[in-house]
Amino acid sequence: MNILTTSLTVTVSFILGLSAHLVSAEEATLNPVVNEHFITQLGIKADEKLGQQMWQQKFKRKGVSGTGVRSCTDCHGSDLSKAGKHITTGKIIKPMSPTVNSKRLTKVRSIEKWFKRNCKWTLGRECDAQEKANFLYYINSSSSF
Amino acid sequence: MKNTLAISSIIFTLGFLSIPVVQSDSDFSWSLFKNKSNGVKVVRNELYEEECGGCHMAYAPGLLTERSWTKVMAGLEDHFSDNAELDDDSFKQISQFLNANSADKSNYKRSQKFSRNINRANPPLRITKTPYFIREHNEIPDRLVAKNPKVVSFSRCTACHKNADAGSFNEHDINIPGFGRWDD
């Protein structure tokens, strides 16, 4: 093969290789134990976009402290690759994205705990199974590329 | 020669024993010489630190009496306008830990001060509302705390008390961000 063919082959392979990375990032899989507990065993089809919507949503809450409007972003922010900050105590909250923070979305018990506390604080009620699944898919994919 | 040695030994021993007397303002534990120690006892509990140290510092149990801790634990669904609910098992373990190490059970000097003059019928929920805390902080102007973006609240002990995690609230270890050391 001459130089032209070689360099063409290398370039095409490189681009293909990059594309594969793109594809795999979009389909970054959830931790299998977590996936089983929140999604598979319940036969849910998770919707990442709805998860993102709900994450950004501002919930009007009557009779609560502060502005009366609450959102996940209040403490966690909108960019899940960055650290958040507790709205009252100022404590730094490590990033939600599993790509940046490998401890995220690994323990079912911990995830359920935070869903309970934070859905009740933000929404005024517990999140249902579909909402939890949507959130998990959103958080898990938020890191990509 | 023998007498000189005996006298020197006595003087040396006396000098050595006077160290805790001279150093009594420090928060170091000279447990060889006395039962009580200054500061607040550092008691580690992994579960407590994980469950209760995620949003704020894991406050030492020796800062509140048992009645206060019980009251705090009974209201986790509305924990100072946040939700800090625990599963049953964690609740029991943490309650036991807090009550066993509360200020009224401690032989540490500062804990004993924290447990004084507490209204038993209506114990404070906040460390910052205990009589001892209020008295110790009543000369500090607003601009150093609430109006200071690097401090914001008295509840953030570690903002100024640089050795709070080690149970020490000695005034020599205080450094108020944007202001400096605090001299009483």
Side-chain angles (χ1 to χ4, degrees), chain B residues 97-165:
Chain B
F97 166 70
L98 290 170
N99 294 335
N101 296 287
S102 62
D104 45 334
K105 316 269 172 40
S106 176
N107 64 356
Y108 277 58
K109 258 189 179 176
R110 220 181 274 283
S111 284
Q112 290 174 347
K113 289 177 185 175
F114 267 106
S115 59
R116 278 186 207 134
N117 301 317
I118 300 289
N119 184 331
R120 284 165 74 82
N122 193 19
L125 276 178
R126 292 181 185 271
I127 294 160
T128 54
K129 293 283 182 250
T130 56
Y132 177 62
F133 184 97
I134 292 169
R135 201 168 61 241
E136 291 296 303
H137 294 80
N138 62 8
E139 283 176 18
I140 302 168
D142 228 18
R143 65 184 166 83
L144 295 186
V145 183
K147 299 211 166 82
N148 182 347
K150 290 185 180 165
V151 180
V152 178
S153 164
F154 276 120
S155 301
R156 304 187 189 183
C157 313
T158 50
C160 302
H161 288 280
K162 301 306 179 187
N163 268 335
D165 285 334

Side-chain angles (χ1 to χ4, degrees), chain A residues 65 70 86 88-93 109-110 113-114 116-118 120-121, chain B residues 47 50-51 53-57 77 81-87 90 156:
Chain A
S65 67
R70 291 182 177 178
H86 194 281
T88 308
T89 67
K91 178 132 193 209
I92 303 298
I93 300 169
R109 187 179 157 270
S110 181
K113 175 186 89 185
W114 288 113
K116 184 174 193 176
R117 290 182 183 182
N118 294 345
K120 284 175 99 167
W121 183 83
Chain B
L47 183 67
E50 195 188 319
E51 300 294 342
C55 301
H56 55 58
M57 76 179 278
E77 223 178 318
S81 304
D82 207 331
N83 185 307
E85 284 184 75
L86 295 165
D87 62 71
S90 302
R156 304 187 189 183

Side-chain angles (χ1 to χ4, degrees), chain A residues 43-61:
Chain A
I44 290 176
K45 197 168 159 57
D47 189 325
E48 182 194 314
K49 287 217 160 63
L50 284 183
Q52 179 172 22
Q53 263 176 42
M54 206 166 179
W55 187 269
Q56 313 276 12
Q57 194 174 343
K58 294 193 196 302
F59 294 92
K60 283 185 190 153
R61 302 284 310 283

Side-chain angles (χ1 to χ4, degrees), chain A residues 92-126:
Chain A
I92 303 298
I93 300 169
K94 291 180 186 160
M96 289 303 293
S97 165
T99 307
V100 177
N101 180 356
S102 59
K103 287 189 178 166
R104 290 297 187 194
L105 308 188
T106 55
K107 288 187 182 150
V108 168
R109 187 179 157 270
S110 181
I111 298 168
E112 288 283 27
K113 175 186 89 185
W114 288 113
F115 267 141
K116 184 174 193 176
R117 290 182 183 182
N118 294 345
C119 285
K120 284 175 99 167
W121 183 83
T122 315
L123 277 68
R125 60 168 174 85
E126 294 212 51

